[in-house]
């Protein structure tokens, strides 16, 4: 009887857990292809790990991306989620972010908008929204590339469900390091073009 009750509680909690987090849609255009590869996924927080040390240092949690297997480009979801993970932001404000005097509506919620300074040489735009006190999340990201296999990538927040459990992630500012890496590549390409002339 006890096992039956536990199983029932587990089954009842699964739909609720599945409805937590931020819902995103990602599209990626390969150069020369007319149609994008696409996936929809949910970003959920994971708890921070605890060590066996006597003194417990505060640790940030992480995130996990859960793909909607019923939608999107078949056999491309794992690759798209790997790329999406490098384009996300779930952290507090950074020196590159600043609040804007506007808000965006998601259902009944009105979320303050933050902008993100782009490094030079990158053809991209980003919008962040404040989903909780001092907690920013990626809302929209769009980038175009003049060279390489990928021509364009877009990532959009489509909805948010039960965000009270979301917290800054340890890798929450991954987008910033990705943009810096792209800026270094663009600078190196520009320098090699100048030397070639």
């Amino acid at each position: 009887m006890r096992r039956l009750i536990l199983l029932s509680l587990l089954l009842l909690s699964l739909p609720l857990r599945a409805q937590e987090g931020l819902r995103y849609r990602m599209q990626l255009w390969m150069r020369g292809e007319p149609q994008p590869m696409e996936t929809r996924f949910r970003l959920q927080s994971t708890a921070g790990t605890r060590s066996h040390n006597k003194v417990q240092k505060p640790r940030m949690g992480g995130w996990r991306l859960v793909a909607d297997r019923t939608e999107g480009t078949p056999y491309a979801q794992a690759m798209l989620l790997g790329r999406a993970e490098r384009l996300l932001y779930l952290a507090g404000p950074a020196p590159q972010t600043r609040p804007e005097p506007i808000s965006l509506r998601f259902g009944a919620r009105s979320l303050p908008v933050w902008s993100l300074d782009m490094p030079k040489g990158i053809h991209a735009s980003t919008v962040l929204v404040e989903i909780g006190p001092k907690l920013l999340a990626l809302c929209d990201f769009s980038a175009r590339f003049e060279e390489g296999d990928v021509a364009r990538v877009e990532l959009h927040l489509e909805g948010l469900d039960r965000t009270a459990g979301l917290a800054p992630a340890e890798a929450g500012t991954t987008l910033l390091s990705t943009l810096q890496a792209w800026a270094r590549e663009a600078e190196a390409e520009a320098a090699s073009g100048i030397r070639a002339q």
Side-chain angles (χ1 to χ4, degrees):
M1 183 67 175
R2 178 182 256 173
R3 285 184 185 171
L4 185 59
I5 291 170
L6 287 173
L7 181 61
S8 299
L9 288 173
L10 177 63
L11 290 174
L12 287 172
S13 69
L14 285 177
L16 293 175
R17 177 67 182 151
Q19 294 303 314
E20 291 179 353
L22 307 172
R23 289 180 280 123
Y24 285 98
R25 176 185 183 199
M26 181 178 185
Q27 293 177 297
L28 185 141
W29 284 260
M30 300 301 288
R31 195 163 307 285
E33 294 294 324
Q35 296 297 320
M37 290 185 282
E38 181 176 320
T39 189
R40 281 187 162 90
F41 64 91
R42 188 176 300 273
L43 181 150
Q44 298 174 329
S45 282
T46 59
T49 56
R50 291 180 60 86
S51 67
H52 296 291
N53 299 337
K54 289 182 181 178
V55 177
Q56 291 290 324
K57 294 181 180 177
R59 292 179 185 266
M60 286 186 179
W63 60 36
R64 69 179 185 160
L65 308 183
V66 182
D68 182 346
R69 302 277 179 209
T70 64
E71 295 190 38
T73 306
Y75 310 111
Q77 289 183 333
M79 182 270 291
L80 291 173
L81 288 183
R83 288 182 182 263
E85 201 160 25
R86 296 192 301 268
L87 302 175
L88 291 169
Y89 191 101
L90 185 63
Q96 299 92 324
T97 62
R98 64 179 181 280
E100 298 294 339
I102 56 173
S103 296
L104 289 177
R105 235 171 153 59
F106 283 87
R109 293 182 62 182
S110 181
L111 303 177
V113 169
W114 288 63
S115 59
L116 177 66
D117 295 334
M118 282 290 136
K120 289 181 183 177
I122 296 179
H123 305 289
S125 62
T126 302
V127 174
L128 305 173
V129 287
E130 190 171 343
I131 60 171
K134 295 186 178 179
L135 180 59
L136 307 181
L138 179 74
C139 180
D140 282 298
F141 177 81
S142 179
R144 293 181 180 273
F145 305 94
E146 295 176 4
E147 308 214 354
D149 294 337
V150 176
R152 188 168 122 210
V153 62
E154 293 190 5
L155 190 54
H156 303 290
L157 179 64
E158 292 192 318
L160 40 127
D161 303 304
R162 299 181 57 209
T163 58
L166 289 175
E170 194 164 356
T173 59
T174 301
L175 173 61
L176 301 181
S177 53
T178 299
L179 293 174
Q180 289 299 327
W182 289 352
R184 286 191 296 273
E185 289 172 14
E187 192 176 313
E189 286 173 9
S192 67
I194 292 170
R195 283 197 297 272
Q197 291 174 359

